Amino acid sequence: MTLGVLMSTPILATATPLAPASALDLSLMEAGVIGQDYKYKNPKVTAQVFSELNKQLNANLPMMTAEGMQATAVSITPYKSTYVHSYTMDIAKDKASALKKEIGSPAVLSKLCSEVFLTERFLSANNHRMTFRYQLKNGKKLV
């Protein structure tokens, strides 16, 4: 099962709300984790699959996701996930403030939701909650 797609999605990509089942959706269906309605079928099997998914994702970290940025941590469970992205270069204080506003803007958050949440249909079907954390090179939280 190819699972890295969940953590390396570019912010500026777009997706349609009526996107067909993703490769991950289909893999989870084949494994018997979700049904045709995209909802989890068996809590025990689902927990095992997500535990393995979490191990696989973290085994590949840190991973460059864009120029000057890398994915540094991922935590994913059936109903919640957290993605940490770190800048690999120093950012001036005034630029950091502007960047914080941009990343936290409704337009960018909307793109993140539509490109991640709606491309993997099982996520919205199971009310999966995602948290994206962006941090500076020194590890301090940006947004």
Side-chain angles (χ1 to χ4, degrees):
M1 189 178 333
T2 304
L3 305 169
V5 70
L6 285 177
M7 59 184 248
S8 61
T9 311
I11 290 176
L12 298 177
T14 58
T16 62
L18 301 174
S22 70
L24 183 54
D25 287 326
L26 296 174
S27 293
L28 292 173
M29 280 182 193
E30 288 174 17
V33 175
I34 60 174
Q36 295 295 318
D37 61 356
Y38 302 98
K39 293 190 177 190
Y40 301 132
K41 292 170 55 172
N42 180 323
K44 186 176 181 179
V45 172
T46 301
Q48 291 170 341
V49 167
F50 274 83
S51 176
E52 183 59 33
L53 170 60
N54 200 53
K55 287 178 194 172
Q56 288 179 23
L57 290 171
N58 281 286
N60 294 311
L61 297 180
M63 174 192 298
M64 294 303 291
T65 56
E67 188 175 336
M69 183 177 287
Q70 62 184 358
T72 53
V74 174
S75 173
I76 185 165
T77 68
Y79 297 100
K80 182 181 178 186
S81 55
T82 301
Y83 303 88
V84 179
H85 296 272
S86 301
Y87 285 90
T88 59
M89 60 195 158
D90 291 323
I91 299 174
K93 209 172 205 177
D94 61 328
K95 299 264 188 216
S97 180
L99 190 57
K100 182 177 179 176
K101 275 185 175 178
E102 183 181 338
I103 291 172
S105 74
V108 170
L109 292 175
S110 178
K111 282 189 181 265
L112 276 175
C113 287
S114 67
E115 76 173 40
V116 175
F117 211 70
L118 296 177
T119 60
E120 309 291 344
R121 297 184 83 183
F122 79 94
L123 295 172
S124 57
N126 293 287
N127 296 317
H128 187 92
R129 181 178 177 194
M130 296 177 154
T131 302
F132 295 89
R133 177 186 167 125
Y134 292 86
Q135 59 190 32
L136 300 172
K137 182 178 176 180
N138 63 8
K140 289 187 178 180
K141 178 181 168 186
L142 177 64
V143 66

